[in-house]
Amino acid sequence: MKRIAVIGICLALGGCVAYKPKPLDLQRETEVWKRASQVLLPLWNKSSMEKKARIGLLLNPELNKARLTWMKSKKAAKYAGMWDDPVLDLGGERDLTERVYNFSVTPTLSLPVTGTKRLAKQVAELYSAADYAELKSQENDYLMNLRTLFVKIQVVHEKGRIIRERATQVAEELKGHEKLQQLGEISTADLYDATQRNSSTVKELQELEKEHLTLHMELVSMIGLHPVVGELEIDDTLSREIPAVVNSPTPMQLMQHPKLAAAMAAYRTSEAELRLEVRKQYPTFELGIGYTREDEHNKLALSQGISLPLWNRNREAIARATGSRSIAHLTAVQQWRELVRQAHSLQQQQQLLLQHCRAEFEHLHTLRDTAQRQEELYRLGEIALPALAATRHEMYTRRLAFFDCLGELLKVQTALQYLKPPLMP
């Protein structure tokens, strides 16, 4: 009955927000997730790399959680800073000797003369802005990680083609070595070398297949799809040319980085939070206008009240807010230093990897010419199979080394690109 009475009063005074239960059905959620993933799979496979990145932005679970966090603080900011509800005091008494009834009705209103409500509104808006800046920072990190993952998968695909081609070639070479050894034309050591090359190539292919599966499962997880969709297709064409140099970000560009913007927004929020807590120590003022009936006389009463901050001047909250501001200040400074360090480190890595890639590229071209001449000499019977097999395997290892180096260079350049203002797909 008390609950019904309270609800009735709320409805009479303008209504209350009703609680709406939202049951969680994991089985149903799983079925919806699976169907949505199966519908999105064809769209993903037909999309360009830019559209794939956009799909990932929309579906990634962590980004959607960050969006809900932002929407939560945005909605809270809409209602922040409202005045306290008035207090209604009802009183009644009865004179037992004369059987006289007296009663009073006094609504009391707290006046926000200290400006705390306005500051509370500002703090809520700054929290919303900080959550939005954090969302943009996470989106920038996500795009960088997704494009880095694309590079890793492309390198694995390229290396997979090279290893499979070499595995077939090595198996044929081993058969040739076995026949030559039976005829006594090569030594046992040559046959052993051929056997070792075959075993190592098979093992390298197995390791690559494991890495390929791990990377594709990571891609499915980053996109937010159900694992039942299987392998996601990507554009696996990887340029065999050495990419151009990516310029290091300027200090002005680093200042616009989403991570620094999020740290600065958090610091501004801590500043406003401290101002709010300091303002809360000021006295509050209450005003009440009441109606009373006493001894069959109607009276109008005016009451005033003011808090006296003698001991509790909100010192605990001010101390906590001061500490939070110090932490936010240090976090922003450290974030700036980290961005500067990353820019310098990535630039140094790019220069070194460019040198390595150019050296590997030149060595690969020289070795390719040598291998072509060896192939011609072998067809003419000028050289034996063991010498040709050794040259082929050297060519094979240099090709793998080049794509390893190229993949590392592309990952470093991707990180450099995303140190600049955000690159949206």
Side-chain angles (χ1 to χ4, degrees):
M1 293 298 294
K2 291 182 179 179
R3 183 179 179 185
I4 295 175
V6 170
I7 294 176
I9 293 173
C10 291
L11 293 175
L13 294 178
C16 295
V17 177
Y19 166 70
K20 297 179 180 179
K22 190 175 183 180
L24 183 60
D25 187 346
L26 293 180
Q27 184 175 359
R28 177 180 176 277
E29 293 292 337
T30 302
E31 290 299 324
V32 171
W33 180 28
K34 184 185 298 185
R35 288 196 299 269
S37 299
Q38 292 171 339
V39 170
L40 287 169
L41 181 62
L43 176 62
W44 167 274
N45 292 334
K46 295 178 182 178
S47 300
S48 63
M49 298 295 274
E50 289 74 16
K51 289 184 178 180
K52 283 180 169 62
R54 190 178 296 115
I55 292 173
L57 280 176
L58 295 175
L59 299 181
N60 180 259
E62 293 301 320
L63 291 180
N64 283 326
K65 182 179 178 181
R67 291 186 184 100
L68 289 176
T69 301
W70 171 53
M71 295 302 297
K72 170 187 171 182
S73 59
K74 184 179 179 182
K75 190 171 183 180
K78 179 180 178 182
Y79 299 104
M82 292 184 173
W83 286 23
D84 294 335
D85 290 328
V87 178
L88 183 63
D89 292 330
L90 301 176
E93 62 180 18
R94 177 189 176 188
D95 192 327
L96 297 178
T97 59
E98 299 183 5
R99 297 186 181 274
V100 177
Y101 294 91
N102 301 323
F103 64 88
S104 64
V105 179
T106 307
T108 304
L109 183 65
S110 296
L111 302 179
V113 295
T114 59
T116 55
K117 300 302 179 182
R118 177 179 56 83
L119 283 176
K121 180 72 172 179
Q122 293 178 0
V123 169
E125 291 173 347
L126 285 171
Y127 269 115
S128 178
D131 287 339
Y132 180 75
E134 179 63 27
L135 170 61
K136 293 290 121 179
S137 175
Q138 291 187 28
E139 286 181 348
N140 190 69
D141 287 347
Y142 176 80
L143 289 174
M144 181 189 70
N145 294 332
L146 184 62
R147 292 187 181 276
T148 300
L149 185 58
F150 284 164
V151 170
K152 290 180 181 179
I153 294 175
Q154 289 172 334
V155 170
V156 166
H157 286 178
E158 192 65 38
K159 290 175 64 177
R161 284 190 283 266
I162 296 172
I163 295 176
R164 290 185 182 90
E165 177 186 340
R166 179 58 184 156
T168 303
Q169 194 178 53
V170 166
E172 295 176 355
E173 289 175 358
L174 181 59
K175 293 178 182 178
H177 279 78
E178 291 172 346
K179 291 180 181 179
L180 292 175
Q181 202 273 338
Q182 292 173 359
L183 296 174
E185 296 185 9
I186 62 172
S187 65
T188 305
D190 291 333
L191 178 60
Y192 176 77
D193 290 341
T195 304
Q196 287 296 106
R197 284 194 293 267
N198 182 70
S199 299
S200 63
T201 305
V202 171
K203 184 171 180 58
E204 287 173 356
L205 182 58
Q206 292 174 348
E207 293 294 330
L208 191 76
E209 289 174 344
K210 287 169 56 179
E211 183 181 1
H212 179 265
L213 177 61
T214 300
L215 290 175
H216 272 279
M217 289 297 98
E218 183 180 349
L219 179 60
V220 171
S221 176
M222 283 189 68
I223 301 304
L225 299 179
H226 194 284
V228 76
V229 299
E231 185 173 313
L232 298 177
E233 296 180 6
I234 68 166
D235 181 10
D236 62 353
T237 56
L238 191 64
S239 174
R240 288 160 176 76
E241 300 296 328
I242 299 176
V245 176
V246 174
N247 295 326
S248 183
T250 64
M252 185 60 66
Q253 288 174 324
L254 285 179
M255 288 182 182
Q256 299 174 5
H257 194 275
K259 280 189 175 180
L260 184 60
M264 294 297 292
Y267 176 69
R268 289 191 294 270
T269 303
S270 68
E271 280 275 15
E273 191 82 53
L274 177 57
R275 288 198 304 272
L276 175 60
E277 296 301 336
V278 170
R279 191 66 63 86
K280 285 181 180 179
Q281 69 180 332
Y282 296 164
T284 57
F285 181 74
E286 294 182 351
L287 176 66
I289 300 176
Y291 165 78
T292 63
R293 180 175 178 81
E294 185 176 354
D295 296 332
E296 299 184 355
H297 296 284
N298 297 326
K299 299 179 180 180
L300 183 65
L302 177 64
S303 63
Q304 298 178 0
I306 186 170
S307 63
L308 299 177
L310 298 178
W311 302 284
N312 181 19
R313 299 180 181 177
N314 207 34
R315 293 178 180 179
E316 180 184 357
I318 292 174
R320 292 181 182 277
T322 302
S324 297
R325 183 185 64 171
S326 299
I327 294 173
H329 179 272
L330 180 61
T331 302
V333 173
Q334 288 180 334
Q335 184 61 71
W336 165 251
R337 292 176 179 175
E338 178 63 18
L339 290 174
V340 173
R341 187 200 63 78
Q342 286 182 11
H344 180 75
S345 175
L346 290 172
Q347 186 62 30
Q348 296 294 321
Q349 292 180 53
Q350 179 183 223
Q351 293 177 2
L352 183 62
L353 288 170
L354 277 171
Q355 294 176 6
H356 291 175
C357 282
R358 287 166 183 161
E360 289 288 347
F361 192 73
E362 293 175 1
H363 186 62
L364 192 58
H365 273 278
T366 303
L367 193 59
R368 183 176 285 113
D369 295 337
T370 302
Q372 290 177 354
R373 289 195 298 269
Q374 293 256 1
E375 293 286 349
E376 293 176 1
L377 291 174
Y378 177 73
R379 284 194 295 269
L380 295 174
E382 298 292 333
I383 61 172
L385 179 59
L388 177 63
T391 303
R392 285 174 174 175
H393 206 73
E394 175 66 15
M395 180 70 181
Y396 158 73
T397 56
R398 299 324 303 178
R399 290 175 69 188
L400 292 182
F402 171 74
F403 281 107
D404 283 334
C405 185
L406 181 61
E408 291 299 320
L409 176 60
L410 291 174
K411 287 189 286 185
V412 167
Q413 290 188 335
T414 300
L416 268 174
Q417 290 170 348
Y418 280 91
L419 276 181
K420 299 176 182 179
L423 304 174
M424 300 304 291

